[in-house]
Amino acid sequence: MTELKTRQTGATATLGHRGFPHVVSATGGEIDIVTGPSQPGFNPVDLLYASLAACLAMSARIAATQMHVMDKVTGITAEVKGEKAHEGPSRVTRFDVRITIAGEVDADTRLKIVHAAEEICTVSNTLAGSPAFSIELGD
């Protein structure tokens, strides 16, 4: 029986009186958040898109491996954009995803990889569902 590998998950954002949020993952990764529309870097919505893009790209690789065609794939790109609501509450109302699979793989197999990736991806499955939120006030 294969043992399921687990990873610590979670993130903490810290924000002072001035400046921008600094985010640290449970595994020690760090990123500074930007808020200006023309500032280079990630804002919170960019991170949402980035999470979906990365998850779908990795899931497509898993799918191609499971289909025994990964040796024919030379690259996978997942591009995610979206549309924010024009009226409250503030939220993303639509995700536009384009997955490109480079290599010697026929169109039917590429499509199967894309559909399998969507089923595998934890982030797309979470966004498509209605996860519960538990928010509490800390000390």
Side-chain angles (χ1 to χ4, degrees), residues 60-83:
R61 183 174 63 190
I62 291 168
T65 300
Q66 291 173 343
M67 293 176 191
H68 307 288
V69 296
M70 191 58 210
D71 59 327
K72 297 178 183 178
V73 173
T74 58
I76 298 169
T77 303
E79 179 184 2
V80 176
K81 296 179 180 179
E83 184 174 318

Side-chain angles (χ1 to χ4, degrees), residues 18-62:
R18 293 178 187 226
F20 304 108
H22 179 76
V23 181
V24 179
S25 74
T27 57
E30 297 185 39
I31 188 168
D32 288 314
I33 305 302
V34 299
T35 57
S38 62
Q39 278 182 291
F42 290 95
N43 69 28
V45 176
D46 292 333
L47 290 175
L48 179 64
Y49 295 150
S51 293
L52 181 56
C55 188
L56 285 168
M58 291 187 303
S59 297
R61 183 174 63 190
I62 291 168

Side-chain angles (χ1 to χ4, degrees), residues 115-129:
H115 289 302
E118 187 178 4
E119 291 177 10
I120 293 168
C121 176
T122 301
V123 176
S124 66
N125 288 326
T126 301
L127 292 171

